[in-house]
Amino acid sequence: MDPVRPSGFNVAIFGAGHVGAATVDVLARLGCQIRWIDSRRDIFPATVPANVNVIESADPALEVAAMQKGAYFLVMTHSHPLDLEICDQVLRRDDAAYCGLIGSTSKRRRFERMMKKQGLPEVLLENLVCPIGVSGISGKKPAEIAVAVAAEILQTRDSMSAAEADPVRLKVLG
């Protein structure tokens, strides 16, 4: 038997609403380790896959610090102020592989203005992905959003792996 080791593909999903649940369902099948975080009581399903760690937290933004360097963060809570706080924490870390925020381009602009007022450097704001999901998928159903987001995360992961394997490409990307 081979020992079970963490995959190195670590994802934090903030929000256990319909889109969060659909996203966990898709990503859990991809071999990643998921921390699924929400502040609401009794929001999580009774059973989750073995690679999903459910965290009910009174202050979900504090969970950002618990993630490994190079983790993928998806922010899709029920609260815009909470989304803002979580995104700010993730971007200030400056070591996330991906920081995705569910929402529109106008939500992104609002968040950028607020984070600039909070002193977040503009260069870090460039790391915020909003809207999330691969382009070309226009569906608004939770499962459609989840598939588009999972595809974008896989593209990000695979392009980073390719860059690490090819020092010339890494130099061009960096």
Side-chain angles (χ1 to χ4, degrees):
M1 295 185 109
D2 291 326
V4 176
R5 287 175 275 159
S7 68
F9 184 17
N10 299 294
V11 180
I13 299 176
F14 292 86
H18 297 310
V19 176
T23 304
V24 167
D25 186 49
V26 172
L27 287 174
R29 300 166 194 252
L30 300 177
C32 57
Q33 299 300 311
I34 300 172
R35 289 175 59 90
W36 191 13
I37 305 142
D38 202 294
S39 61
R40 297 171 288 179
R41 297 183 59 76
D42 302 321
I43 189 80
F44 295 104
T47 59
V48 296
N51 60 329
V52 177
N53 183 15
V54 168
I55 299 164
E56 186 179 297
S57 173
D59 192 352
L62 293 178
E63 296 298 324
V64 170
M67 290 302 291
Q68 300 83 346
K69 177 182 179 182
Y72 298 76
F73 293 85
L74 285 168
V75 183
M76 47 184 65
T77 78
H78 63 286
S79 163
H80 283 245
L82 182 55
D83 286 350
L84 178 68
E85 183 181 0
I86 293 167
C87 287
D88 186 76
Q89 293 286 326
V90 172
L91 294 172
R92 286 183 193 279
R93 281 180 59 137
D94 196 25
D95 68 354
Y98 178 92
C99 179
L101 170 66
I102 195 165
S104 62
T105 303
S106 62
K107 181 177 180 180
R108 179 194 177 98
R109 286 188 201 115
R110 279 194 315 274
F111 274 46
E112 285 177 339
R113 282 193 305 272
M114 290 186 277
M115 286 189 273
K116 282 179 191 176
K117 284 182 183 177
Q118 294 173 183
L120 189 72
E122 184 129 8
V123 67
L124 295 180
L125 284 170
E126 294 171 8
N127 296 325
L128 180 64
V129 177
C130 180
I132 54 176
V134 293
S135 61
I137 298 176
S138 59
K140 300 298 180 199
K141 293 177 184 168
E144 293 169 327
I145 295 168
V147 167
V149 170
E152 184 171 62
I153 287 176
L154 289 174
Q155 285 178 336
T156 303
R157 183 199 65 184
D158 292 351
S159 68
M160 291 173 70
S161 294
E164 289 170 3
D166 183 353
V168 173
R169 183 174 176 183
L170 184 61
K171 199 173 196 176
V172 170
L173 292 175

